[in-house]
Amino acid sequence: MNYDVVGLGTVVVDHLVLLSHHPVQDAKTNIISDAYQIGGPVPTAQVMLSRLGKQCAFLGSWGDDQYGPLIAEELAAENLDLTGSRQLPGTRSGYAQVWIDESASTRTIACYRPEHWLQPADLDESILTQAHAVHLDGWPQATCLHAAQIAQQAGAKVCLDAGSLKPGMEELIPYLNVMNCPRRFITEYLDTDDIQTAGAELLQQGPDLVTITDGVNGAWLFTESNRLHCEALPVLSLDTTGAGDVFSGALLYGILEDWPVERTLKFACITAALKCERLGNREALPTLAEIEAVLQTKKLRLSRWD
Ligand SMILES: Nc1ncnc2c1ncn2[C@@H]1O[C@H](COP(=O)(O)OP(=O)(O)O)[C@@H](O)[C@H]1O
Ligand SMILES: O=C(O)C(=O)C[C@H](O)[C@H](O)COP(=O)(O)O
């Protein structure tokens, strides 16, 4: 196996904009500061994994506009193998604007530009079959399904950071070993707000391990023999952009390290919370030393309902 994790998903250039308050309709607010960062659920998780020492390859796509070279350069600088990615001539790159006010509440508008997305036939199967784990975000639907099938046959763990509900996800879920989703996803997908019911229902649909995250309320983890909740680490939150992406990268790290689920869940909650103390996703990632220091010194409450 050449790769710990092969990722397939959307990549966007985030324009992060700090405001004192969100403008009301038809009003204006002045920008305090702004920054550009490369984001997207899979690339962000992979950068986290790469910085923690995992070998990662990213299968993604971008346009040949001014952002294309920036995306390729920054992801390569994070040691992601981009052999299976492409810049498609005549298209524009994914882009998002994230507005963050002083209470860390965000408003996001995103434009993923599906015209350059990888189709199933564009997938480099030789990369997918060399992976211990394949990490997906559900876009594009047919390509993710194809990748999940190849990965499953090759014996890799298939992982999904569900984010928001996307078309065809119900076909993908039976192939999953690991599924991470925010609370808003279960409301949309299962039409329930009950975390215990949702966890049990998702486990029945395929994955061996399900996590459900809920911002300051922490996260839940479900396996056949575990029902766990970990509280969120109290932090001074500046920006929650990508907290779920970082959580799923850290979760996958614990799984690949074969840690007990309790340690894995705490590690993911701490990593995601530390990210919230800084602006953005990639540039806000904590180091292993920072995460371990909190893990050793702060007692996070972990409850169990077996
Ligand atoms: N304000 C916060 N303080 C501490 N931890 C947080 C905060 N927001 C998010 N987290 C951590 O990040 C995880 C993912 O955040 P969440 O908001 O649920 O996902 P998403 O970014 O997908 O909306 C949470 O389960 C929690 O552990
Ligand atoms: O802008 C970024 O860097 C992000 O990727 C932030 C979020 O994680 C995605 O916006 C989630 O996207 P969905 O999976 O479609 O819900």
Side-chain angles (χ1 to χ4, degrees):
M1 296 283 177
N2 283 345
Y3 302 108
D4 294 306
V5 185
V6 172
L8 163 70
T10 47
V11 53
V12 286
V13 174
D14 282 332
H15 185 195
L16 300 155
V17 178
L18 265 186
L19 307 167
S20 59
H21 60 277
H22 293 294
V24 294
Q25 195 178 335
D26 300 327
K28 184 178 93 172
T29 307
N30 291 330
I31 294 174
I32 298 172
S33 66
D34 71 324
Y36 288 88
Q37 285 186 25
I38 310 300
V42 174
T44 301
Q46 284 208 294
V47 170
M48 187 70 235
L49 284 155
S50 173
R51 292 203 193 162
L52 293 172
K54 297 296 177 195
Q55 293 296 319
C56 296
F58 178 57
L59 309 176
S61 56
W62 44 86
D64 66 353
D65 52 1
Q66 78 272 30
Y67 295 131
L70 184 75
I71 293 171
E73 220 171 273
E74 295 207 7
L75 295 184
E78 296 285 356
N79 293 319
L80 304 193
D81 180 333
L82 302 177
T83 326
S85 289
R86 72 169 179 198
Q87 173 169 306
L88 194 65
T91 62
R92 292 170 68 192
S93 303
Y95 169 79
Q97 257 194 34
V98 186
W99 294 4
I100 308 141
D101 75 1
E102 277 178 353
S103 68
S105 104
T106 60
R107 291 188 184 171
T108 305
I109 46 172
C111 181
Y112 292 115
R113 305 206 191 276
E115 54 275 18
H116 57 64
W117 283 355
L118 298 174
Q119 299 307 310
D122 301 320
L123 282 180
D124 187 333
E125 294 194 15
S126 68
I127 295 179
L128 280 166
T129 52
Q130 290 180 63
H132 283 288
V134 169
H135 191 49
L136 310 167
D137 67 7
W139 290 124
Q141 173 199 353
T143 316
C144 278
L145 190 59
H146 192 51
Q149 287 163 341
I150 295 168
Q152 191 188 59
Q153 265 181 6
K157 277 189 194 304
V158 186
C159 313
L160 173 73
D161 184 3
S164 51
L165 183 62
K166 289 144 199 147
M169 268 189 168
E170 66 289 351
E171 280 178 73
L172 188 59
I173 292 175
Y175 289 93
L176 301 179
N177 298 99
V178 179
M179 178 171 179
N180 174 49
C181 45
R183 186 173 199 147
R184 61 179 179 276
F185 176 90
I186 61 162
T187 315
E188 266 186 291
Y189 181 57
L190 297 173
D191 198 21
T192 177
D193 210 25
D194 185 78
I195 300 246
Q196 298 300 326
T197 309
E201 173 64 30
L202 289 173
L203 278 183
Q204 279 212 332
Q205 293 189 15
D208 314 311
L209 187 149
V210 170
T211 48
I212 300 173
T213 65
D214 189 20
V216 285
N217 298 314
W220 287 258
L221 181 147
F222 300 85
T223 66
E224 199 181 81
S225 51
N226 290 287
R227 303 276 183 276
L228 295 173
H229 171 254
C230 183
E231 67 178 350
L233 178 74
V235 290
L236 199 60
S237 174
L238 175 68
D239 173 21
T240 58
T241 312
D245 312 345
V246 173
F247 179 96
S248 76
L251 178 78
L252 195 44
Y253 181 77
I255 291 170
L256 290 169
E257 291 290 292
D258 226 359
W259 286 345
V261 283
E262 292 83 356
R263 178 177 165 87
T264 301
L265 181 60
K266 273 191 186 177
F267 184 86
C269 282
I270 291 169
T271 308
L274 293 178
K275 184 243 86 73
C276 296
E277 293 184 316
R278 300 171 200 150
L279 187 64
N281 40 53
R282 201 174 56 84
E283 287 176 24
L285 300 176
T287 62
L288 184 57
E290 288 172 324
I291 307 163
E292 285 290 351
V294 175
L295 205 53
Q296 308 296 332
T297 55
K298 296 258 166 62
K299 291 221 177 315
L300 271 196
R301 197 166 349 108
L302 198 70
S303 6
R304 173 179 285 282
W305 290 271
D306 288 340

